[in-house]
């Protein structure tokens, strides 16, 4: 099989892994002759459903000795198989980079022979790029659970980011659909990476110059909708991973039906808007001061699909609004629907010099249709009957029967305004 055919198979097989964003690496590697992680990072492209993917995002091989029911590359799957050699991946990366097709490499693999052997192959690619070709571009390596600790640490030496997929929200889910994988193995590997990152940080604080280790940190991916686990379990696991292992990101990937699937798997994907709501809730937990039990509760373990999590919280706590933008502390301003971190910072800075008026809020380009019901300013006070009305949710949210995936440009506007 020629390299072109291998690329067709192994690039397609890699599309199911969503954890491909490059962020957080700010320093070029010393002595690099080719590539850089600074500036725009690696090239990205967008799939039709809006997911951001790397242009050269491939598997080393889609052969696998495991039989995870949700995975198209499982050993019992009847899909075309291929395997790159180390030199082929290195050559593709260099040639694509020189043609300006890519700015980095995302490399994962099915498990062949055993975890250690697979990990050694992945490391060989990254090491060859760094040492032989002095490649300074972004490298994201997927590490293999159960691989020896020394191999995980060596992977961090060559990669900018390393990640281990947690796969499913709970240990019980893994037992049901991926019995060859254990949560304890993933947890142990994440702990090893965290300790190594902490050790390098402490060494730098002590004035030492330790070798580079995964400067963009570690991340993971969780499949959503392959089991009945509610959003509360998904967000609970993510929160636990952020706190114990200080992950940079948890990626949520909506389950994609695969050919000849196991009967235990759902026949259809969950609505992609559920994936979007999980990212919004994740953002609220990490950057907006929300607690998990404020977003999901035992009585309502799943996020609402018709409104975003912050708006859902505000509608359930209408007694705390309207919020006076001239008096409310920053942590409460962050809870106003439609106002993001950047806008809150501008409000706090501005009110040090003068009282905030309606015109000042409009200059922030806030989504006024939503914000107007929840804020008070010197010359603006929303009508109490509007805030308390039953139709407010329907007016501000989506139609329960007409839910749709947000388009790319809608997401871009939100990113620009800092709104969540």
């Amino acid at each position: 099989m020629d390299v072109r055919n291998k690329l067709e198979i192994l690039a397609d097989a890699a599309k199911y892994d969503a954890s491909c964003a490059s962020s957080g690496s700010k320093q070029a590697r010393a002595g690099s002759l080719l590539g850089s992680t600074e500036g725009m990072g690696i090239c990205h492209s967008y799939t039709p459903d809006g997911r951001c993917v790397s242009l050269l995002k491939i598997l080393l091989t889609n052969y696998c000795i495991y039989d995870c029911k949700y995975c198209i590359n499982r050993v019992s799957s009847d899909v075309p198989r291929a395997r790159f050699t180390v030199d082929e991946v290195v050559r593709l990366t260099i040639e694509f980079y020189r043609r300006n097709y890519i700015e980095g490499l995302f490399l994962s693999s099915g498990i062949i022979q055993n975890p250690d052997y697979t990990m050694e192959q992945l490391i060989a690619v990254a090491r060859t790029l760094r040492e032989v070709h002095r490649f300074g571009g972004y490298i994201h390596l997927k590490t293999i659970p159960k691989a020896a600790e020394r191999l995980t640490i060596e992977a961090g030496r060559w990669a900018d980011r390393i990640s281990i997929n947690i796969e499913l929200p709970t240990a019980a889910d893994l037992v049901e659909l991926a019995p060859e994988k254990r949560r304890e193995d993933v947890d142990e590997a994440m702990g090893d990476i965290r300790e190594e990152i902490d050790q390098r940080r402490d060494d730098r604080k002590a004035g030492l110059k330790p070798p580079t280790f995964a400067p963009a940190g570690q991340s993971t991916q969780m499949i959503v909708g392959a089991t009945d686990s509610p959003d509360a379990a998904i967000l609970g696991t993510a929160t636990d991973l952020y706190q114990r292992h200080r992950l940079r990101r948890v990626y949520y990937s909506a389950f994609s039906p695969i050919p000849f699937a196991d009967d235990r798997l759902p026949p259809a994907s969950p609505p992609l808007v559920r994936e979007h709501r999980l990212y919004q809730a994740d953002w609220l937990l990490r950057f907006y001061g929300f607690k998990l039990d404020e977003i999901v509760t035992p009585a309502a373990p799943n996020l609402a699909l018709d409104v975003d999590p912050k708006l859902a919280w505000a509608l359930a706590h209408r007694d705390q609004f309207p919020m006076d933008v001239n008096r409310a502390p920053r942590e409460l301003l962050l809870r106003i629907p439609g106002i993001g971190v950047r806008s809150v910072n501008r409000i706090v800075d501005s009110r040090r010099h003068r009282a905030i008026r309606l015109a000042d809020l409009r200059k922030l380009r806030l989504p006024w249709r939503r914000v107007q019901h929840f804020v008070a300013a010197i010359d603006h006070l929303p009508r109490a009957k509007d805030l308390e009305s039953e139709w407010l949710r329907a007016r501000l949210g989506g139609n329960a029967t007409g839910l749709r995936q947000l388009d790319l440009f809608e997401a871009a506007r939100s990113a620009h305004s800092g709104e969540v």
Side-chain angles (χ1 to χ4, degrees), residues 6 53 69 80 83 148 151 160 202 235 245 287 314 326 349 394:
K6 291 181 182 180
V53 296
K69 304 305 179 188
R83 177 180 173 180
L151 295 173
D160 293 278
D202 293 343
L235 293 171
H245 299 311
F287 303 116
N326 286 296
D349 288 342

Side-chain angles (χ1 to χ4, degrees), residues 137-157:
Y138 183 85
I139 296 179
H140 181 157
L141 284 187
K142 188 70 72 176
T143 55
I144 309 298
K146 296 184 182 179
E149 181 182 352
R150 64 177 176 81
L151 295 173
T152 302
I153 292 173
E154 186 175 0
R157 180 182 174 190

Side-chain angles (χ1 to χ4, degrees), residues 7-26:
L7 185 59
E8 184 175 343
I9 293 172
L10 295 173
D12 185 71
K15 69 184 180 184
Y16 297 95
D17 199 318
S19 54
C20 65
S22 64
S23 59
S25 185
K26 298 179 180 178

Side-chain angles (χ1 to χ4, degrees), residues 256-285:
S256 298
I258 54 179
F260 311 108
D262 187 274
D263 292 340
R264 286 167 286 185
L265 293 171
S269 300
L272 279 175
V273 70
R274 183 185 179 192
E275 185 183 291
H276 186 69
R277 296 291 182 236
L278 285 167
Y279 277 115
Q280 290 175 318
D282 182 291
W283 223 251
L284 294 181
L285 291 168

Side-chain angles (χ1 to χ4, degrees), residues 153-181:
I153 292 173
E154 186 175 0
R157 180 182 174 190
W158 307 115
D160 293 278
R161 170 166 290 184
I162 50 182
S163 60
I164 305 173
N165 284 354
I166 195 82
E167 306 285 14
L168 296 169
T170 69
D173 291 338
L174 271 183
V175 170
E176 181 181 1
L177 297 181
E180 292 139 321
K181 294 182 178 177

Side-chain angles (χ1 to χ4, degrees), residues 334-345:
L334 285 170
R335 295 184 172 236
I336 300 173
I339 298 186
V341 173
R342 189 182 307 171
S343 296
V344 166
N345 290 339

